[in-house]
Amino acid sequence: MSAYDDLVQRYQERIYATIYHMTSNHEDANDLAQDTFIKAYQALKSFKGGSSFYTWVYRIAVNKTINFLKQRKNRAQMSLNDLDFNAEHDPDLVALISDKTPRREAGLAELQEKLNEAMLKLSDYHRLVVTLHDVQGMSHEEIAKIMDCNIGTVRSRLFYARQQLQSYLSEYLK
Amino acid sequence: MSTGTEDFDKLRKLLKLKRHEQPPPGYFSRFSGLVITRLEREGESDGVLTDVPWLRKLIRLFESSPVAAGLFGSAICALAIYGVTIANKTQGVAAVALAPANGVADANTVAFSTALHSDTLASSTDPVFGSSALASPFVANGSLTPRLENVTFSTSPR
C-alpha cells in the first residue's frame, strides 16, 4: 500500500488539475480525483503495460470526469480555487488587465470567473483538449493517446475550441 | 485550417491564468492519505465478498453499469409479483376444492374458506380451550403420536 501511496503522490497534482479545469469545481474535482485513484488501484491487475501508467491513469480520470459531466449537464456550479500569489506578478496576465482595471486583484478574479464561464460553454471534449494542451502543456501525441483518437482530431478540436473561446472572451482579448 | 500560434497568442496568455488556480494550502499533502484510507475501508467492507468471487463480480458490474443494476432490480420485482399472483391463485383453488360438491357447505368448510380469503385472522379474547384441555387421553406426552395397544375381546357363553 505504501508503494501505491507514492504513486498517488506522484500524479495527484496533474490528475486533480485536469479534473478541476474540466469541472471548475474544487469539491467535484476532489471526489473524482479520489475515485480515479481508487478505480486505478482496483483495476491494477488489468493494466497490461501497453501504455504508460501515467497515460492509463489519465484515461481513467478523463472517462470518469466525462461521465460525471454528462450526468451533471445543465446544473454546472462553479467553486473556483483561489489564484496563487504568482498570478499577480505574471507579466502576461498583468498586461491583459492593467489597462482595464485600476485594482489588479479584482481584475484577476473577474478574469478568472469569465474564463471559467467561457470554458464551461465548450463541449466536454473541446474543453478537455484545451485543458490538456494550453493549460497543462501536453503534446498533441500525448493527448491523442489519452483520448484514444488520432492527432488530426486533437488538432482540429483544439483549433475549434480556441476559436470558440476567443469569441466568448473577445472583450478581454482586444 | 490555420493553427498558427500567433492567432491565439493572447488567448493562450489568458489561459495561463488557470495554472495559477490552486486548491487550499495543504490539500495535496492530505490527498494521498485520504485515498489510502478509503482503499483500506473498502478493503475491510469487501472482506466477506472476496470469498464469493461471482458476487464480487456482480456488484462490480452493478457499480459500473446502472442499467444492469436497474434490469436486475426489475427482474427481481417481476419475480416477486409473479410469485404473489401464483400464491393467490393457488389459495383460490384450495378454497374451491374444499367446498362440497352439492353446494351445501358445512360450518368447518365455510370457516376455513373465510379464513383463507380474509386478510386478518379471527381472534377472540375468550380462549376456547385451556392448556389442560389440549391434553388428550389418546396422546402420549402431549405429542401427536398415536398410541396403539392390543385389545382382546372375549365372549362368555350364556
Side-chain angles (χ1 to χ4, degrees):
Chain A
M1 203 59 103
S2 72
Y4 194 67
D5 187 52
D6 293 342
L7 221 50
V8 173
Q9 284 184 32
R10 192 181 303 171
Y11 299 116
Q12 60 185 10
E13 290 187 35
R14 280 176 280 182
I15 293 291
Y16 167 85
T18 303
I19 300 171
Y20 169 76
H21 295 311
M22 287 292 288
T23 56
S24 293
N25 187 303
H26 168 70
E27 287 77 24
D28 292 341
N30 175 43
D31 291 343
L32 287 165
Q34 284 188 31
D35 290 349
T36 297
F37 284 108
I38 285 166
K39 173 87 191 259
Y41 182 82
Q42 288 167 342
L44 265 178
K45 282 179 193 167
S46 68
F47 175 58
K48 302 272 192 306
S51 57
S52 69
F53 181 76
Y54 170 65
T55 307
W56 183 70
V57 174
Y58 247 103
R59 267 191 206 154
I60 295 174
V62 163
N63 288 336
K64 272 205 169 289
T65 307
I66 286 179
N67 284 340
F68 170 81
L69 291 170
K70 276 180 190 164
Q71 286 169 2
R72 186 177 78 169
K73 265 299 174 219
N74 296 321
R75 49 186 186 85
Q77 201 174 3
M78 292 198 297
S79 165
L80 300 177
N81 287 331
D82 292 334
L83 295 169
D84 63 22
F85 177 75
N86 296 327
E88 288 178 48
H89 304 284
D90 190 318
D92 290 335
L93 296 173
V94 171
L96 281 171
I97 59 156
S98 56
D99 299 338
K100 289 185 166 293
T101 52
R103 283 179 59 228
R104 192 166 291 172
E105 271 182 46
L108 279 177
E110 182 191 328
L111 208 54
Q112 181 194 9
E113 201 176 320
K114 295 290 174 193
L115 178 56
N116 277 283
E117 279 174 7
M119 287 281 282
L120 286 175
K121 285 182 190 171
L122 297 177
S123 80
D124 297 338
Y125 290 102
H126 287 105
R127 195 182 322 127
L128 180 62
V129 176
V130 171
T131 296
L132 295 179
H133 190 273
D134 288 343
V135 181
Q136 299 207 282
M138 281 189 189
S139 69
H140 294 122
E141 289 78 10
E142 278 179 303
I143 298 169
K145 276 182 198 165
I146 289 166
M147 295 181 76
D148 201 17
C149 63
N150 60 49
I151 295 174
T153 308
V154 174
R155 284 182 198 277
S156 66
R157 280 181 181 164
L158 185 60
F159 181 77
Y160 181 79
R162 283 171 172 174
Q163 269 190 328
Q164 293 288 107
L165 281 177
Q166 194 138 295
S167 67
Y168 297 145
L169 298 162
S170 57
E171 62 178 304
Y172 296 92
L173 297 170
K174 283 169 190 166
Chain B
M1 190 191 300
S2 165
T3 55
T5 50
E6 68 280 2
D7 296 337
F8 300 110
D9 195 40
K10 276 195 168 179
L11 176 68
R12 292 186 69 181
K13 282 178 182 170
L14 178 57
L15 282 165
K16 276 178 74 181
L17 181 64
K18 287 203 64 69
R19 294 181 196 168
H20 294 286
E21 292 180 17
Q22 293 297 325
Y27 171 74
F28 287 121
S29 56
R30 292 188 301 269
F31 183 84
S32 67
L34 291 171
V35 172
I36 300 298
T37 307
R38 267 186 68 182
L39 275 172
E40 284 170 350
R41 228 182 273 157
E42 288 192 11
E44 283 167 15
S45 64
D46 284 358
V48 181
L49 298 177
T50 49
D51 299 336
V52 193
W54 66 268
L55 188 59
R56 195 183 173 85
K57 278 183 187 171
L58 193 70
I59 289 169
R60 287 267 158 80
L61 174 72
F62 291 163
E63 281 174 353
S64 62
S65 167
V67 177
L71 284 174
F72 184 76
S74 305
I76 295 292
C77 286
L79 269 175
I81 291 167
Y82 179 73
V84 169
T85 312
I86 290 294
N88 281 339
K89 277 185 183 170
T90 314
Q91 284 178 350
V93 170
V96 169
L98 284 168
N102 59 8
V104 182
D106 65 288
N108 286 338
T109 309
V110 170
F112 185 65
S113 181
T114 309
L116 274 175
H117 290 95
S118 68
D119 292 336
T120 53
L121 289 171
S123 61
S124 168
T125 51
D126 301 324
V128 178
F129 301 109
S131 58
S132 59
L134 291 172
S136 164
F138 304 107
V139 176
N141 301 326
S143 70
L144 290 175
T145 313
R147 231 167 75 187
L148 298 174
E149 287 180 8
N150 291 326
V151 179
T152 54
F153 296 96
S154 61
T155 53
S156 55
R158 288 190 181 181

